[in-house]
Amino acid sequence: EPEVTQTPSHQVTQMGQEVILRCVPISNHLYFYWYRQILGQKVEFLVSFYNNEISEKSEIFDDQFSVERPDGSNFTLKIRSTKLEDSAMYFCASREGPTMKYGYTFGSGTRLTVV
Amino acid sequence: EDKVVQSPLSLVVHEGDTVTLNCSYEVTNFRSLLWYKQEKKAPTFLFMLTSSGIEKKSGRLSSILDKKELFSILNITATQTGDSAIYLCAVEAYNNDMRFGAGTRLTVKP
C-alpha cells in the first residue's frame, strides 16, 4: 500500500537552530499538508500546499515556518530559529485530489525536540 | 471561529461493550467530516462522511453525519482491547483546511 514517508523520525535540536523536516508524499497525490501535535494535545493544521504554492495556512504558520517542494517529490517544512514550544510531533499528509474518496494519508511523523 | 468538539474526552469500557463517540462542529464552507484512529503515531483513516443520514460501516465500526444539527457519531460494537486508541474527528472545508477535534481517548479493558 502506498505510504507517505517522513524523515527523520526523531530530531533533537538546540533552541535557535533551524530544522528541515522532510516528507515524500504518495506519488500521484497533488495536495500536501503539514500538521503538528504537541504532546497530549490535539492535532493542529499548519499549512496546505497545491500546485507549488501555499493554498491555506493557519495562524500558527508564521514567518518562522516555510514549506517547499524543491524537486517534485520531497515536500519540506523548515522551521527557523526554533523555540522550546516548537517541540511536537509533525505530521505530513497528502491526498489525491479535491474529491478524494478515502481521505488523507498521514506519514508516521517526525518528533521534534527543542532543547 | 471554526471549531470541532469531541465528547467524551476519555472513556473506559470493558470488552464487549458498545461505545458511541460524538463530534460536533462549526465550520465555514463544510465539505466533509472524517474519523481517524490514532494509536502510537500517525492517525489512520476510518471514515469520510459528506452526506447526512447515510451510515458508513466497516466491521464493528459505523458512523453517521447530521449536517442539519452539525454532528457525527462513531459507534463501535463488541469492543476489543485492540480498539483502545484516540479517536479523532476532523472537519474539512472547501479551502482545504482540515481541523481536528481534541480526540476521545478510548480504553477497552479485558
Side-chain angles (χ1 to χ4, degrees):
Chain A
E1 191 170 324
E3 286 184 344
V4 174
T5 305
Q6 287 187 245
T7 55
S9 57
H10 192 185
Q11 172 127 22
V12 181
T13 190
Q14 288 207 319
M15 196 166 56
Q17 297 296 304
E18 175 182 285
V19 295
I20 297 177
L21 310 184
R22 292 185 166 79
C23 170
V24 179
I26 294 172
S27 61
N28 64 334
H29 285 192
L30 301 176
Y31 293 79
F32 313 116
Y33 305 83
W34 283 102
Y35 290 85
R36 79 171 185 191
Q37 187 174 32
I38 295 169
L39 187 64
Q41 298 186 26
K42 67 180 188 181
V43 179
E44 298 174 295
F45 169 75
L46 293 178
V47 66
S48 57
F49 192 87
Y50 169 69
N51 203 25
N52 287 321
E53 60 183 27
I54 291 173
S55 49
E56 198 71 26
K57 59 183 181 179
S58 73
E59 57 276 4
I60 301 168
F61 194 90
D62 59 20
D63 292 343
Q64 186 194 4
F65 294 88
S66 61
V67 290
E68 63 175 5
R69 198 160 181 240
D71 57 11
S73 61
N74 289 290
F75 177 50
T76 61
L77 174 69
K78 184 188 290 187
I79 309 174
R80 287 179 280 274
S81 190
T82 48
K83 302 178 285 225
L84 294 176
E85 53 265 39
D86 295 327
S87 296
M89 183 74 93
Y90 288 81
F91 291 109
C92 172
S94 70
R95 64 175 177 147
E96 193 171 344
T99 57
M100 184 178 173
K101 187 179 174 185
Y102 298 112
Y104 298 64
T105 303
F106 282 83
S108 56
T110 293
R111 180 168 294 287
L112 176 65
T113 303
V114 182
V115 297
Chain B
E1 184 185 322
D2 293 346
K3 58 182 179 180
V4 180
V5 179
Q6 291 186 245
S7 63
L9 292 181
S10 180
L11 190 55
V12 180
V13 300
H14 287 94
E15 272 193 317
D17 288 349
T18 293
V19 297
T20 298
L21 310 183
N22 303 289
C23 176
S24 63
Y25 64 91
E26 291 176 29
V27 171
T28 307
N29 293 322
F30 171 89
R31 171 149 68 188
S32 62
L33 185 144
L34 302 99
W35 283 97
Y36 286 86
K37 180 181 182 182
Q38 186 178 29
E39 293 174 270
K40 293 202 168 89
K41 279 196 171 179
T44 54
F45 174 78
L46 294 175
F47 297 110
M48 183 164 109
L49 303 156
T50 54
S51 301
S52 267
I54 299 174
E55 186 182 50
K56 293 219 171 173
K57 280 182 74 75
S58 176
R60 296 176 293 103
L61 277 67
S62 63
S63 183
I64 197 160
L65 173 67
D66 185 327
K67 287 169 76 172
K68 184 179 174 190
E69 300 297 330
L70 307 183
F71 77 91
S72 173
I73 58 172
L74 175 70
N75 277 322
I76 309 175
T77 59
T79 50
Q80 302 169 357
T81 54
D83 295 327
S84 295
I86 296 173
Y87 289 84
L88 298 170
C89 171
V91 175
E92 183 189 16
Y94 274 98
N95 65 357
N96 292 326
D97 263 3
M98 186 164 70
R99 304 278 174 173
F100 283 83
T104 293
R105 180 180 292 277
L106 174 66
T107 303
V108 181
K109 293 189 169 181

